Amino acid sequence: MSAHEEHSETPGIGETVPRLREEGDAAITDPAVPLVGDGVVPRWLIGLIFFALFWSGAYLFSYSGGFSADVFDYLPKFGPLTSGPQAAPDPKVIGKALFSQNCITCHQATGQGLPGQYPPLAGSEIVLGDASNRFIAIALKGLQGPVTVKGQNFNNSMQAWEGQYTDAQLAAILTYVRSDWGNNAPPIPPEAVKQMRDELKDRKEQWTFAEVMKLPAKDVAKAGGSEQQAANKPAPGASPAASASPAPQQK
Amino acid sequence: MNRLSKIIGGGFVLFGLSWWGLAVYPYLSFATLKANVDPNTKEVAPPDIPGAAQQGYRVYAANGCVTCHSQFVRDKSEGGDIDREWGKRRTVARDYMKDDQVFLGVSRFGPDLTNVGVRQKDAQWFYRYLYDPRLFDPETTMPSYRWLFRDQAIAGQPAQNALKLEGADAPRPGHEIVPTAEAEALVAYLLSLKRDYALPEAPVSQQ
Amino acid sequence: MSVPNQTADLQLNRAAAGNGSVLRGPILLFFVSGLFWLLIAVALWLLSAFQVTDPFSPLVFPDVAWLTYGRVYPVAMDLLVYGWASMIGVGTAIWILDRMAKNPFPGGYLPLLAGIIWNLGLVFGVWGVLGGGSTGKEWLEFPLYAAFPIWLAEIIMAIWAVALVIGRRSKGGYISQAFLLTAFIAFAWAYGSANGLLQFFKVSGAAEPAIQWWYFGCLISLWLTPLGVGIVYHFVPLLIGRPLYSAKLAAISFWGIVAFGGWTGIAQILGAPLPAWNQTASVVANVLLVIPVLAFATNLHLTMKGSFDVIKPNLALRFLVTGGMVFGLASIWNALTTFRSVNRILEFTWAVTARTDLFLIGFVTLICFGAIYYTLPRLVGRSWKYTRLIQWHFWFSIIALGTLVFDLTIAGVLQGFGQMDPKVPFAAVIDIIRPFLLGYELAAVFIGVSALLGLASFLTVFVNPAWAPDSKEAPEPVINEEVSLA
């Protein structure tokens, strides 16, 4: 073995060999392996290493969302984390979702209904009028036979929804219907639906339009609603309809 | 222990740590995700992906749409995506739980497509856009995907999904341009890109 | 185990000569195929640059599926990494490991086999992606039938490397061995597990991008980086005929890269739907990676100290040292742009592309050519004749790199600020960077020219008469002042 190799025992990162190649080395003109010196690590680099490790620890612990798998934002969010749908249900959002499940097939996503078949909800007198008891009554029990909306005649049938939805759900749907497509009428609180449900609990069959118009006009939405709304008030900004309600009532 | 085994062993441990932390850990923690069912509306979020869209992944992948389009919305604290109305909220892991293939992307040479199905709801729009994006913006750098469409003679009734094209793009008389099955799948996929529902960890109403 | 005997001495001579080694064939195979793939990659890149700049360019073929930008550009990038950089890296690694191990039976057929399989994988990959079989995952576009052969070749190479080092006859060890071994093992692991999880086990959901970008970190920091750094550590001291400055600095650079490298990838997709701590850890890793890089740069600098005048005439050294310098620059730039405050602006822009290109076209490609200029003459027993050509090659590479990176970075910064401002419509953001796309085209042309110059230089070694291994003159390209000025 040549002198060149005796200095190094084990393979590794670096053998500290503070000497140059020797005379008589087999690989003198074209060596295969470089030698390694034992130079010192500069002070500034050592300082930098400690600083970087310290910094990275601090950074990692400040911006890691508690090392949890379901925190995605590196900055902690102030205030309640769940201001989501469960925490502050916005009746219009829920109402829209429910509307899209059933109502949409006839009344359409545009609220325009289908000409000659299903009446529009956008701009409908029943939907927007002060006689909200009639609006709720129709939704609860359904409607059958000829009906006139916005000057157009329809003759069809809508099922009763009272078995399908709870008070809160139906209230949400009706509130939504009163707020989209240019509609702007006060929300229907769940209490109003409950009140009507109790009032009409003996009625089993669908209404005809004539019958429902005989119900004495009463704005149940207004009567039970206002304090309830305040108590129920969702997170700020979630329900513009609630704050906008006084305006349309002046008409 | 000699140096060699130290290097190999140490390398394995250090490297394995990153493998665990960035590949295995997300996999294990996301494997247990469940769809959110809203207690009030019984609405399932994220919604199921329609069958037609499932085929569209492949076309999207095969044609490298991901080289120009991203598919995730960052939080307000991390960029201007929400200001640009590419989404109402940041996307979270649950948004992708039903996706077979996820194309987050690192380039936005084209707009983000996370919510393109919210912005455009009409398949015909997408067909025309893919056929010739310069119908919409004469300068745009979005490539045309003309080969995703077929020129065919009109047999009887014009096909329902034939492209409405005018001017220089109009088909020869008696012919029409219709999307191939690939184009249909791709557009079904694009139409399904809607992450506008709320999730507890990513509420929509958050400003 | 390592009893000095006749064979070992014979072996020593064989290894020292290089020329005549059993591994000569495999190494040449890797070199030649690497260059071949470089040319294909650059041609496709050029095509894609023209397509992306101008939708009305005659090079846009909207009716030809396999020539659309979304297929061409990924193939170009994949070939640059898996064809060009990896092939040259592997070829050079074989050379280094073999000469250090001095093993009489270095298993020549294994690297040969790996080289053939690897090339087959690339052919399938190009075919697959252009033909519409891409997975749509950046840097992992190759479908399973292409990824599998490549992975197999990696495994073969990893086994070969480990076996060679374990069965070595020489007692000596050196830092480059550690880097190269780590690269082989880490890459086989990373490529295998990324493709296995994504394509074979079909992991779905948000874990996909996590795996994908973890892999990207490994590709850059645990495959290309250790290959390049190992090569520089090995050749630079040999070229200037002095020992490496410090073993300790070398150790810091090695363990730092191994420890932080695997964590760096996720920072490419900050803001993604991945756990916050994953993303923050990745930011931290990118910053911490600067430590080993500085250790490496310092080591290199202090080794070179007093010999800087050699850089000018010795072209192999010039490529290697410049590559090392660009590496330092790229890492620091990478760390600076990974901070969220900067990243939120630059993310998704061409500046990110520029960052990767600085690494691939700057660091990796310069090192690859440096390695070729050093190794090839020793391998074929001839020295370089036309050093002028190599000089041209060097300067063209630098100009191409500079044009590309400057142009795209500025474009990216403008694009980033444009995107941050919701009042600027999206189409206007693209209009801002349109002029820079012309610069991008130009840069792509320069890159094409420098690749051609590299190929021409490569070929010229074969026209020179034989070089004697024990001659007093070095075989690598050295400018002889009188000749080159004439």
Side-chain angles (χ1 to χ4, degrees):
Chain A
M1 275 253 152
S2 69
H4 172 59
E5 295 186 29
E6 269 150 29
H7 51 256
S8 37
E9 305 324 335
T10 47
I13 286 183
E15 313 311 321
T16 50
V17 190
R19 56 175 190 168
L20 291 176
R21 274 184 229 103
E22 284 183 7
E23 210 66 34
D25 193 316
I28 182 138
T29 45
D30 194 29
V33 187
L35 305 179
V36 184
D38 56 357
V40 292
V41 181
R43 288 258 177 77
W44 61 266
L45 189 63
I46 298 178
L48 191 74
I49 291 175
F50 279 103
F51 173 74
L53 289 176
F54 173 78
W55 168 86
S56 59
Y59 190 85
L60 192 59
F61 280 89
S62 337
Y63 297 123
S64 283
F67 291 93
S68 142
D70 50 8
V71 176
F72 302 96
D73 292 321
Y74 73 105
L75 288 176
K77 285 266 183 288
F78 296 104
L81 259 177
T82 47
S83 59
Q86 281 102 334
D90 178 348
K92 282 191 298 178
V93 173
I94 299 167
K96 179 169 185 178
L98 292 170
F99 184 86
S100 323
Q101 288 170 8
N102 278 319
C103 324
I104 201 162
T105 35
C106 298
H107 295 293
Q108 303 298 310
T110 53
Q112 299 298 339
L114 283 179
Q117 295 186 49
Y118 306 110
L121 300 176
S124 150
E125 304 86 348
I126 303 266
V127 170
L128 298 175
D130 281 342
S132 57
N133 62 330
R134 294 180 187 152
F135 180 32
I136 299 172
I138 293 176
L140 280 169
K141 305 291 171 185
L143 187 70
Q144 194 210 30
V147 53
T148 308
V149 179
K150 289 182 25 184
Q152 295 163 29
N153 292 321
F154 300 88
N155 189 350
N156 215 323
S157 163
M158 178 176 84
Q159 72 169 94
W161 297 104
E162 62 180 346
Q164 193 102 358
Y165 295 120
T166 64
D167 294 341
Q169 288 174 335
L170 201 55
I173 299 176
L174 299 185
T175 302
Y176 164 70
V177 167
R178 280 182 143 203
S179 71
D180 203 353
W181 321 298
N183 285 355
N184 190 2
I188 305 276
E191 292 68 28
V193 178
K194 180 169 179 351
Q195 186 189 340
M196 291 306 296
R197 206 192 277 268
D198 292 343
E199 249 174 57
L200 302 169
K201 72 173 171 293
D202 296 331
R203 186 176 176 96
K204 291 282 173 279
E205 60 279 11
Q206 287 160 294
W207 299 105
T208 61
F209 191 58
E211 269 180 316
V212 89
M213 292 311 279
K214 284 197 200 103
L215 287 173
K218 185 165 68 166
D219 195 352
V220 281
K222 199 165 132 202
S226 39
E227 325 92 70
Q228 260 342 99
Q229 263 170 27
N232 217 359
K233 194 162 174 143
S239 173
S243 45
S245 56
Q249 275 171 22
Q250 283 163 12
K251 69 169 174 199
Chain B
M1 196 162 97
N2 70 16
R3 283 257 180 87
L4 182 65
S5 38
K6 224 192 293 183
I7 287 172
I8 296 185
F12 257 91
V13 171
L14 288 173
F15 181 66
L17 269 178
S18 79
W19 183 62
W20 174 82
L22 296 187
V24 179
Y25 171 86
Y27 170 62
L28 292 179
S29 35
F30 295 155
T32 54
L33 283 179
K34 289 197 176 54
N36 182 50
V37 181
D38 190 303
N40 292 309
T41 61
K42 301 281 173 282
E43 202 181 353
V44 179
D48 286 330
I49 294 165
Q54 303 273 15
Q55 300 300 317
Y57 294 128
R58 278 212 60 255
V59 189
Y60 192 87
N63 295 301
C65 308
V66 76
T67 46
C68 294
H69 291 288
S70 65
Q71 274 192 40
F72 67 104
V73 178
R74 296 174 294 173
D75 188 60
K76 276 220 164 186
S77 61
E78 306 211 44
D81 307 1
I82 295 175
D83 294 334
R84 205 162 258 290
E85 298 186 342
W86 277 337
K88 291 204 187 88
R89 58 171 178 86
R90 70 161 302 151
T91 45
V92 294
R94 220 173 340 183
D95 287 315
Y96 302 89
M97 59 173 282
K98 291 186 176 162
D99 293 11
D100 224 21
Q101 297 277 305
V102 177
F103 307 104
L104 289 193
V106 289
S107 164
R108 281 187 182 158
F109 192 51
D112 185 89
L113 296 183
T114 315
N115 286 305
V116 73
V118 178
R119 294 198 288 275
Q120 303 293 344
K121 296 194 163 61
D122 180 10
Q124 178 68 221
W125 184 90
F126 281 104
Y127 289 141
R128 293 177 64 209
Y129 201 94
L130 291 172
Y131 184 77
D132 188 0
R134 272 148 290 281
L135 291 172
F136 298 83
D137 174 355
E139 292 277 274
T140 182
T141 38
M142 157 94 186
S144 318
Y145 287 92
R146 281 220 298 266
W147 53 272
L148 281 172
F149 299 86
R150 210 175 43 230
D151 185 332
Q152 65 178 27
I154 300 179
Q157 285 287 310
Q160 222 182 8
N161 54 8
L163 271 64
K164 300 185 183 76
L165 299 165
E166 283 144 23
D169 277 311
R172 290 170 287 162
H175 280 244
E176 62 187 352
I177 293 184
V178 290
T180 58
E182 278 190 315
E184 278 171 358
L186 177 61
V187 169
Y189 171 64
L190 294 173
L191 282 168
S192 80
L193 292 177
K194 285 188 249 190
R195 275 98 185 198
D196 57 346
Y197 44 84
L199 286 171
E201 66 272 36
V204 165
S205 54
Q206 151 207 323
Q207 286 308 305
Chain C
M1 201 212 307
S2 57
V3 187
N5 57 17
Q6 289 272 307
T7 342
D9 278 335
L10 269 179
Q11 199 48 46
L12 189 66
N13 288 330
R14 177 193 65 71
N19 186 11
S21 155
V22 245
L23 287 170
R24 197 176 126 177
I27 297 176
L28 270 177
L29 171 69
F30 274 101
F31 280 4
V32 171
S33 25
L35 274 161
F36 169 76
W37 292 118
L38 173 68
L39 288 187
I40 308 271
V42 167
L44 291 176
W45 193 357
L46 201 58
L47 176 65
S48 77
F50 278 100
Q51 290 178 335
V52 79
T53 309
D54 176 12
F56 302 105
S57 150
L59 291 173
V60 174
F61 307 100
D63 294 312
V64 187
W66 61 275
L67 278 179
T68 48
Y69 178 79
R71 295 190 187 183
V72 171
Y73 180 74
V75 172
M77 289 299 121
D78 284 349
L79 285 183
L80 214 52
V81 168
Y82 303 110
W84 161 243
S86 298
M87 289 265 176
I88 305 296
V90 171
T92 315
I94 297 175
W95 160 272
I96 291 177
L97 289 174
D98 172 44
R99 284 182 51 123
M100 288 186 66
K102 301 187 166 68
N103 193 322
F105 304 108
Y109 53 90
L110 275 186
L112 191 67
L113 188 70
I116 293 169
I117 299 180
W118 197 311
N119 274 310
L120 275 181
L122 289 171
V123 172
F124 294 160
V126 174
W127 183 263
V129 175
L130 288 182
S134 165
T135 65
K137 305 264 188 313
E138 298 95 323
W139 309 103
L140 285 169
E141 279 95 355
F142 286 169
L144 208 52
Y145 53 79
F148 183 73
I150 294 181
W151 180 64
L152 204 65
E154 286 160 17
I155 295 272
I156 294 175
M157 284 314 302
I159 291 174
W160 173 83
V162 172
L164 188 75
V165 174
I166 288 177
R168 71 194 175 280
R169 286 297 163 85
S170 72
K171 287 181 179 167
Y174 183 65
I175 179 73
S176 52
Q177 234 171 358
F179 269 111
L180 298 177
L181 270 189
T182 308
F184 278 124
I185 296 172
F187 190 42
W189 180 345
Y191 195 70
S193 73
N195 274 300
L197 287 171
L198 292 177
Q199 294 205 59
F200 189 75
F201 294 106
K202 298 202 184 334
V203 168
S204 65
E208 274 176 58
I211 295 165
Q212 181 195 351
W213 293 102
W214 162 77
Y215 166 75
F216 176 74
C218 299
L219 174 69
I220 293 288
S221 303
L222 288 172
W223 171 237
L224 299 177
T225 295
L227 277 183
V229 167
I231 290 172
V232 173
Y233 265 145
H234 198 91
F235 288 158
V236 168
L238 289 181
L239 278 165
I240 59 173
R242 311 172 72 186
L244 185 70
Y245 167 73
S246 164
K248 289 198 197 72
L249 279 174
I252 294 175
S253 61
F254 175 74
W255 289 112
I257 286 174
V258 175
F260 308 133
W263 291 90
T264 51
I266 300 291
Q268 301 283 321
I269 46 168
L270 290 186
L274 295 177
W277 77 261
N278 276 184
Q279 306 184 35
T280 302
S282 187
V283 171
V284 167
N286 276 283
V287 175
L288 284 182
L289 199 62
V290 172
I291 294 176
V293 174
L294 281 181
F296 162 75
T298 313
N299 213 354
L300 194 65
H301 181 87
L302 293 176
T303 306
M304 291 289 301
K305 207 166 170 183
S307 306
F308 281 108
D309 48 344
V310 190
I311 296 182
K312 199 161 170 278
N314 191 322
L315 289 165
L317 187 68
R318 205 197 276 185
F319 269 94
L320 291 169
V321 172
T322 317
M325 275 157 41
V326 173
F327 175 52
L329 213 87
S331 308
I332 291 172
W333 177 239
N334 190 45
L336 290 178
T337 51
T338 193
F339 284 104
R340 311 236 187 192
S341 46
V342 184
N343 183 79
R344 65 204 296 264
I345 296 163
L346 295 189
E347 195 172 10
F348 305 116
T349 68
W350 285 99
V352 177
T353 317
R355 192 170 71 186
T356 313
D357 288 348
L358 180 62
F359 185 89
L360 283 181
I361 301 299
F363 170 55
V364 175
T365 299
L366 288 178
I367 301 277
C368 284
F369 273 116
I372 290 179
Y373 288 138
Y374 178 90
T375 337
L376 192 66
R378 291 171 167 81
L379 202 61
V380 299
R382 292 152 191 268
S383 58
W384 300 97
K385 188 164 187 181
Y386 301 106
T387 42
R388 251 292 161 73
L389 194 61
I390 298 176
Q391 242 176 318
W392 274 98
H393 175 215
F394 177 79
W395 286 113
F396 245 98
S397 306
I398 300 295
I399 292 171
L401 176 70
T403 318
L404 181 72
V405 172
F406 268 105
D407 181 80
L408 288 188
T409 304
I410 297 170
V413 171
L414 294 177
Q415 190 188 2
F417 279 107
Q419 283 190 359
M420 290 297 285
D421 185 352
K423 288 195 289 295
V424 183
F426 188 80
V429 177
I430 294 182
D431 286 340
I432 299 173
I433 58 172
R434 235 170 253 266
F436 293 94
L437 291 177
L438 293 175
Y440 177 54
E441 255 179 27
L442 187 71
V445 172
F446 286 164
I447 288 170
V449 172
S450 61
L452 285 177
L453 286 172
L455 178 76
S457 310
F458 179 87
L459 295 176
T460 57
V461 84
F462 296 99
V463 302
N464 217 28
W467 163 77
D470 47 1
S471 105
K472 288 275 170 254
E473 268 175 35
E476 62 262 6
V478 179
I479 304 169
N480 179 336
E481 286 298 323
E482 286 124 79
V483 173
S484 81
L485 289 178

